[in-house]
Amino acid sequence: MIELADVHKSFGDNHVIRGISARIAIGEVVCIIGPSGSGKSTILRCINGLESYDRGAIRVEGRLVRRDADDIIAIRTQVAMVFQRFNLFPHRTAIENVIEGPVYVKGETRRDAEAKGRNLLARVGLADKANAYPAQLSGGQQQRVAIARALAMEPKAILFDEPTSSLDPELVGDVLTVMRSLAEDGMTMVVVTHEMGFAREVADRVLFLDGGAIVEAGPGRELLGNPQHPRTQDFLRRILHPI
Amino acid sequence: MPQGFWKDSAEFMPILLQGVGLTILVSVGSLALSTILGLGWALMRVSQHAALRQTSKFAVNIIRGIPIIVQLFYIYFVLPDFGIALSALQAAIIGLGIAYSAYQAENFRAGIEAIDPGQIEAAQSIGMRRFLIMRRVILPQAVRIVLPPYGNVMIMMLKDSSQASTITVAELALQGKLIASSTFKNMTVFSLVALLYLCMSLPLMAMVTWLERRFGRK
């Protein structure tokens, strides 16, 4: 479904992605973990062309991702994204946020899109918040609307960029529950996260990134339970026992 | 208060009100034109094409660098030499509209650039193209940021419409001057003129205050 082949990327002199290769299969849930500055968000943003890359190739269903190419729109409608800071449209209600893409990008009728949108809001547990504006919602609720907005595009995969990192701790659970149910329904997901519990239980595979490269990869339980590489061990020790 | 103030006022008022009509016409016309032009400059300024950006920057600087009165003279007195003859009213609306488009452009650009880049990324991530992002995501949010300063531009414009008098548009200021110079009742006439301007600008100021309270913060 998503293929990365020797991807490199620099911001000026800063070589942030140093040759990442990976394949993500249909229905697979892959979590990307690693210290800040390891390039996790950057590589995620390269997959749907929000960021360009310098070398290598990224393909989505065989189609080369290039930020400036005309078919980037087609790729983005297949690979949705959920952001750390939600990025809901503040001037539109929850349901308007959800139907924006279906109506204005995919050309669905407002009525069809709204019916589907309401189902999606129900699915993320926010049926009663359809007419609320983002400012009236908690962070966790906003992020669930953002997930519904991503789902409304009927994507083949969803990229999550630290979806719980700007949430108050008590609101993280609701968002993770929604993500877990998506995984159970077979959605292809790439999740940059610091939620090790989620990675262990939900991810088919975990990639540990450091210094812009994949240091270690493996099934969630194995990699997190019994890391082989010293850098992985060191990182996990610090995450799990911060004090 | 000078003798006969009320009597004179009653006599002058109908003429001055004609001037008010033209003042409003010039203000509204040039406001509309400057808004459209200013938005055009601003959109060019944030375009991805360097040529459009440079053109806009150049044009705005030229407009800002020339006094309004000179622009009015140019349009009214010089353009006829090129076969473009405009009525004084048309020239005033076009001249003030162009002159103010530069300020509008800067205001609009600031509003557009104040939008969180995350908004643009979210719009891109659901497959929106540049034009759609501008129309559905950026401009509706920029309007809220731009409205309070836009209200101030309206007030400035109302007052600067008096510059149309320099190219013979008989708006409020010029009507006042004409009456004063034929009756020598300077105090009465110009007090009335000032009061009439205030009657128009004070409500506008109240509106700006309201806009600032409604949209300014957050």
Side-chain angles (χ1 to χ4, degrees):
Chain A
M1 161 96 219
I2 298 168
E3 286 173 80
L4 310 169
D6 194 31
V7 177
H8 287 260
K9 160 97 187 163
S10 298
F11 290 112
D13 292 340
N14 190 8
H15 196 172
V16 287
I17 306 285
R18 299 167 180 258
I20 289 186
S21 298
R23 297 171 75 94
I24 293 141
I26 291 173
E28 198 176 16
V29 177
V30 172
C31 283
I32 302 177
I33 63 170
S36 68
S38 59
K40 337 181 268 295
S41 286
T42 305
I43 193 68
L44 196 72
R45 291 160 54 82
C46 285
I47 295 176
N48 70 348
L50 284 185
E51 206 78 71
S52 61
Y53 52 96
D54 304 331
R55 208 138 62 74
I58 299 177
R59 284 172 207 280
V60 171
E61 296 209 299
R63 205 184 232 161
L64 190 66
V65 176
R66 292 199 39 238
R67 183 178 146 83
D68 299 324
D70 220 36
D71 64 352
I72 192 68
I73 299 293
I75 292 171
R76 284 177 181 153
T77 57
Q78 290 178 11
V79 182
M81 185 146 187
V82 173
F83 299 86
Q84 179 177 349
R85 307 259 348 144
F86 330 132
N87 297 350
L88 290 181
F89 305 129
H91 55 304
R92 305 199 188 282
T93 61
I95 185 73
E96 286 169 346
N97 265 277
V98 172
I99 68 171
E100 183 75 15
V103 171
Y104 289 93
V105 177
K106 296 176 91 179
E108 292 179 17
T109 66
R110 185 165 280 272
R111 169 194 278 222
D112 288 353
E114 263 199 48
K116 275 193 266 180
R118 284 184 194 281
N119 284 337
L120 289 172
L121 284 176
R123 183 168 171 192
V124 299
L126 294 172
D128 55 332
K129 298 290 184 189
N131 297 316
Y133 283 91
Q136 300 166 316
L137 300 172
S138 73
Q141 290 170 332
Q142 287 188 55
Q143 192 61 298
R144 284 183 281 150
V145 173
I147 293 173
R149 177 173 69 179
L151 287 171
M153 296 305 289
E154 296 173 332
K156 293 180 174 157
I158 303 182
L159 311 174
F160 292 85
D161 187 5
E162 304 201 28
T164 57
S165 293
S166 48
L167 296 179
D168 289 335
E170 77 273 19
L171 303 175
V172 169
D174 290 340
V175 171
L176 291 181
T177 305
V178 168
M179 289 170 62
R180 179 193 294 259
S181 85
L182 289 181
E184 284 162 2
D185 290 349
M187 177 59 78
T188 309
M189 296 163 62
V190 185
V191 187
V192 170
T193 186
H194 292 292
E195 295 295 331
M196 294 305 146
F198 179 82
R200 181 183 298 117
E201 285 164 38
V202 181
D204 299 306
R205 228 163 9 119
V206 174
L207 311 180
F208 172 65
L209 252 64
D210 194 12
I214 297 175
V215 173
E216 192 171 346
R221 269 171 213 289
E222 264 174 51
L223 187 137
L224 296 168
N226 186 19
Q228 299 301 308
H229 198 285
R231 265 144 78 194
T232 320
Q233 294 166 355
D234 184 51
F235 172 74
L236 289 175
R237 199 161 39 236
R238 282 194 235 180
I239 284 268
L240 299 172
H241 308 287
I243 307 174
Chain B
M1 200 160 288
Q3 257 191 337
F5 177 85
W6 297 111
K7 191 174 145 288
D8 291 341
S9 295
E11 190 189 334
F12 302 153
M13 211 43 147
I15 309 171
L16 290 178
L17 283 177
Q18 280 176 17
V20 167
L22 272 175
T23 289
I24 290 174
L25 192 59
V26 169
S27 302
V28 171
S30 46
L31 183 73
L33 180 63
S34 69
T35 302
I36 295 165
L37 269 180
L39 187 60
W41 298 134
L43 290 177
M44 282 168 71
R45 189 67 194 273
V46 299
S47 158
Q48 53 187 347
H49 301 292
L52 289 179
R53 285 200 303 274
Q54 290 306 323
T55 307
S56 162
K57 201 170 162 184
F58 183 72
V60 166
N61 278 343
I62 295 291
I63 295 169
R64 276 201 300 190
I66 301 173
I68 292 178
I69 195 168
V70 176
Q71 294 185 44
L72 288 173
F73 287 167
Y74 210 89
I75 288 172
Y76 189 56
F77 297 119
V78 180
L79 285 189
D81 292 350
F82 296 94
I84 306 170
L86 298 166
S87 73
L89 180 63
Q90 288 169 336
I93 289 176
I94 293 172
L96 282 166
I98 291 175
Y100 264 81
S101 74
Y103 304 104
Q104 300 275 32
E106 292 298 292
N107 181 18
F108 293 157
R109 179 169 70 103
I112 290 170
E113 288 179 348
I115 304 302
D116 174 11
Q119 289 289 307
I120 297 163
E121 294 192 341
Q124 287 177 327
S125 79
I126 55 173
M128 294 172 104
R129 290 177 193 274
R130 284 186 65 87
F131 179 75
L132 194 58
I133 295 174
M134 193 49 85
R135 180 164 72 86
R136 294 286 307 168
V137 178
I138 298 179
L139 289 182
Q141 294 186 63
V143 164
R144 293 159 170 261
I145 299 169
V146 161
L147 266 181
Y150 188 81
N152 282 319
V153 168
M154 287 168 72
I155 296 168
M156 277 162 51
M157 196 154 231
L158 176 73
K159 294 183 293 175
D160 273 345
S161 68
S162 60
Q163 302 216 36
S165 65
T166 60
I167 55 169
T168 76
V169 176
E171 44 66 72
L172 181 53
L174 182 54
Q175 290 287 22
K177 197 173 143 218
L178 292 174
I179 300 173
S181 58
S182 62
T183 63
F184 301 106
K185 305 218 160 141
N186 286 312
M187 181 162 176
T188 305
V189 173
F190 289 121
S191 299
L192 287 175
V193 168
L195 276 173
L196 285 170
Y197 272 113
L198 280 174
C199 285
M200 294 185 277
S201 59
L202 287 178
L204 277 180
M205 288 180 203
M207 190 187 77
V208 171
T209 310
W210 179 81
L211 285 174
E212 276 169 352
R213 224 178 311 139
R214 177 85 171 70
F215 297 117
R217 283 174 301 188
K218 215 163 78 162

